[in-house]
Amino acid sequence: MASAAAVVALNVGGELFQTTTATLSRAGASSPLASLGPSSPSAPHFLDGDPLLFAQLLSFLRHGRLLAHPPPSAALLAEARHFALDGALLASLSPASAFAPLSLRPSALLPLTGRVAPSAVAVCPSPPHPASLVAAHGRVVTCFDAALSTRTSVLTPLPAVDSLLAVSPALALAGARDFPGVHLCRFSDEAPAAAAAVPKVLSWPGSPSATVLSMATTGAPSAPWLFASFESVRRNSSAMVAFDLNSFSPVAEIGRKEVFGADVEAAIPATKLGWLGEHNLLLAAGSHSSPGGVVGDIRLWDIRASATVPVWEVREKEDCFADVAASDTLSAIFKVGAASGEVFMADLRRLGNGGGIGLEPWVCIGNGQRAAAAASSRRKEGNGCKIECCCNWVFVARGADVEVWSQVELAPEAGGKKVMKRNWVGSGPSMEVGAGEEAIKEKAKIVSWAFGGSRMVLTRADQRSVEVWDSAPAAICANT
C-alpha cells in the first residue's frame, strides 16, 4: 500500500483524482505528470484537461494498456499528446509480446485513396517504435499510426513502388524497378535528424543502382544498417549495398555480379533479403525463369569476413523456391517449392562453410512424396506462394489463404525431437465478384504482407485497402 507521502491529488477540469508518484513516473521524463510531487486533496495540483479522457490515461499508466479495445479515439490521442503520453500509448497498442499466431483475426480494413491497388506493405519495427504500418499504392506511400486512426501520405517520384521498408513511424524507404536509388519518405519532422542532411535518394557511386529489388535492416540500435539489392537497367550487373542508417551513408558493396554473354544464370540478382541478427548473416536469394525451368541462388553472407565471397551458397534447380525466408530463433532457412508448393527447411547449424555449393540441405516438412512427384513432373503449384518468419513461427500464403508452421516437441518416448507442425489461420474476408444472382464470394490472392507487434498486415489483388489482422479477436471494421 502506498504511503501518504507518495499520494498525489490532481484537479483535472474540476474533478478530483488521486494516484501515486510511482504511477505518474511511468509517464516518462518528457511528460509533465512525472514531475508532480505528493499533494493533498485540499491542495491538489491543477491540470487543464478533460477529466473523462484523463481517467483513461491514468488507467493506462496503472495497467500499462488500455482496458477498452483499441484503437483509441482521436480525442484520447490528442489528450495523450497534451501530456506527452502519445508515444507510450501508441507503443502499447500492438506489443510483440501479445503476438499469438493462432489467434490472429481480421480486425481492421484500411481503405487507400486513388484507383491503384497497393503493391507493397511494411510494418515499423517494434520496439522501440510504435508498430505503425506503411503501404505503397502507385506513386503514393501512406503511413498509419499504431492506433490506425491517423494517416499521412507522401508522393514519390517513382512510377510504382515495388519494395518498401519502414524504419520508424516517421520514415520509410521505397524502391522501384528501373528507377535509380532508395527513396526516403518522411512522414513528419520527427524523422531521424540525419535524414534531413542527406539526399532524398540513397545510392552507391558506381554500383548498378537502377533497380531496387529488395531491402532489409539489421534492426540493431548500436549498428543499424540497411541492405538494398540493386540491378542495372540492362540487367547485366547486380549488387547489394549496405547503408548506415545513422548517417544514411553507403558502407559497403556486397556480392557484385556481372553477366558475360548469355550466361544470365551466373549473375542472378537477389530479390529477397533477410537479416539473421543472432548469426550476423545476410540472406540473399534470387531466381531466374527460362524455357528450361526455374533456377535460383540462395546465399548467406558474413560481411565482416568478406563482401565478395558468401559463407554458404546453394543453387536451386529441381524444385526451385517460390519464396524463401530465414528464422533467427529457429536457426533455419525455409522455402516454398515453386513446383510442389511444399515447405522445406534447412538447418543453419548443418550448413557447410567455405562458399562452395553445399550438399542438398533441404528437408521437406510437408508432404515429401508429393514434393518429389511435383518436381519430377515440373509442375508450378507453388507459383505465387509467399513465406515469412516471425519469432518462432513460419507463415505461408497460398493464394488467399494463410497457414502457420510451429515447432513442437515430441513426447520423451519418441526421443524428445522437435518437429514442425502445420496449422491453419484462415483467409479472412471475401470479395464479391459479379452482380445479382450471379454474384459469388471470392477470396482475393495475397500479394504482399508484413509482421510487427501483435499484427499481421496484408494486401490482396485488385483491392484498394490494407487488411489488418490482430492477435486480439475483433469484428472487422472499415477505418475511414
Side-chain angles (χ1 to χ4, degrees):
M1 186 172 180
S3 65
V7 173
V8 183
L10 305 170
N11 178 352
V12 183
E15 186 169 328
L16 186 66
F17 291 85
Q18 288 185 315
T19 183
T20 66
T21 53
T23 297
L24 294 180
S25 68
R26 295 171 190 154
S30 61
S31 173
L33 299 178
S35 62
L36 298 177
S39 60
S40 66
S42 60
H45 297 287
F46 176 77
L47 298 177
D48 185 15
D50 185 318
L52 294 178
L53 297 175
F54 185 80
Q56 296 183 58
L57 294 180
L58 192 57
S59 175
F60 164 70
L61 292 177
R62 287 171 177 152
H63 301 284
R65 60 185 178 87
L66 288 175
L67 298 184
H69 193 278
S73 65
L76 180 59
L77 284 172
E79 193 76 356
R81 194 172 301 114
H82 175 67
F83 292 109
L85 279 173
D86 53 317
L89 181 63
L90 291 175
S92 72
L93 297 181
S94 179
S97 60
F99 186 60
L102 300 184
S103 298
L104 284 169
R105 298 292 184 273
S107 60
L109 195 61
L110 309 178
L112 298 171
T113 57
R115 300 181 179 181
V116 182
S119 56
V121 66
V123 177
C124 175
S126 175
H129 304 293
S132 56
L133 65 92
V134 182
H137 43 117
R139 301 178 62 183
V140 179
V141 177
T142 298
C143 178
F144 294 87
D145 66 11
L148 309 180
S149 60
T150 304
R151 72 177 73 189
T152 307
S153 297
V154 297
L155 182 65
T156 71
L158 304 172
V161 176
D162 297 316
S163 55
L164 191 63
L165 184 69
V167 177
S168 75
L171 181 67
L173 305 171
R177 282 190 171 275
D178 300 328
F179 212 85
V182 177
H183 291 252
L184 276 67
C185 302
R186 302 182 183 93
F187 302 108
S188 77
D189 295 333
E190 299 175 4
V198 299
K200 293 184 178 180
V201 182
L202 305 181
S203 61
W204 174 272
S207 186
S209 57
T211 295
V212 179
L213 300 172
S214 181
M215 292 184 286
T217 179
T218 62
S222 58
W225 281 14
L226 160 73
F227 299 101
S229 174
F230 295 103
E231 185 182 33
S232 64
V233 172
R234 298 177 61 187
R235 309 285 191 263
N236 61 353
S237 63
S238 63
M240 295 170 289
V241 177
F243 297 90
D244 185 335
L245 282 180
N246 282 326
S247 61
F248 288 90
S249 58
V251 177
E253 185 182 66
I254 307 163
R256 186 182 182 96
K257 300 178 182 179
E258 303 286 348
V259 176
F260 298 99
D263 189 14
V264 294
E265 293 182 3
I268 299 173
T271 54
K272 181 72 176 282
L273 298 180
W275 177 252
L276 290 158
E278 294 295 325
H279 299 77
N280 281 303
L281 293 175
L282 173 66
L283 167 73
S287 61
H288 170 73
S289 181
S290 66
V294 182
V295 178
D297 275 331
I298 301 176
R299 300 184 178 193
L300 292 175
W301 296 85
D302 184 346
I303 56 176
R304 300 168 303 175
S306 173
T308 58
V309 179
V311 297
W312 179 80
E313 175 183 9
V314 66
R315 172 62 61 89
E316 298 273 280
K317 286 186 176 181
E318 293 300 322
D319 190 3
C320 184
F321 58 88
D323 196 13
V324 62
S327 171
D328 241 341
T329 53
L330 296 174
S331 295
I333 303 174
F334 296 86
K335 74 167 184 175
V336 179
S340 65
E342 294 295 332
V343 180
F344 296 80
M345 173 180 176
D347 192 331
L348 284 174
R349 294 162 295 190
R350 297 182 180 179
L351 300 182
N353 296 322
I357 303 296
L359 299 176
E360 174 57 42
W362 301 110
V363 174
C364 181
I365 59 176
N367 188 325
Q369 292 182 341
R370 183 174 176 274
S376 61
S377 60
R378 295 189 177 182
R379 301 176 194 168
K380 297 181 179 181
E381 297 179 12
N383 274 0
C385 289
K386 298 183 178 299
I387 190 167
E388 200 60 65
C389 299
C390 182
C391 300
N392 294 321
W393 299 279
V394 180
F395 290 81
V396 180
R398 301 182 185 279
D401 299 321
V402 178
E403 67 184 38
V404 59
W405 290 79
S406 58
Q407 191 177 68
V408 296
E409 188 170 352
L410 298 178
E413 55 268 21
K417 294 182 179 179
K418 294 181 178 180
V419 296
M420 300 297 295
K421 177 184 178 182
R422 174 164 50 191
N423 307 275
W424 285 99
V425 172
S427 55
S430 57
M431 62 182 292
E432 191 169 284
V433 179
E437 296 180 357
E438 297 180 355
I440 59 172
K441 289 286 187 178
E442 182 179 275
K443 305 291 185 180
K445 179 183 177 181
I446 296 170
V447 295
S448 64
W449 61 351
F451 298 82
S454 62
R455 293 171 176 157
M456 171 180 72
V457 297
L458 54 88
T459 63
R460 298 181 185 270
D462 302 323
Q463 293 192 352
R464 296 189 293 273
S465 59
V466 178
E467 222 172 275
V468 180
W469 292 53
D470 203 286
S471 297
I476 189 166
C477 61
N479 189 322
T480 57

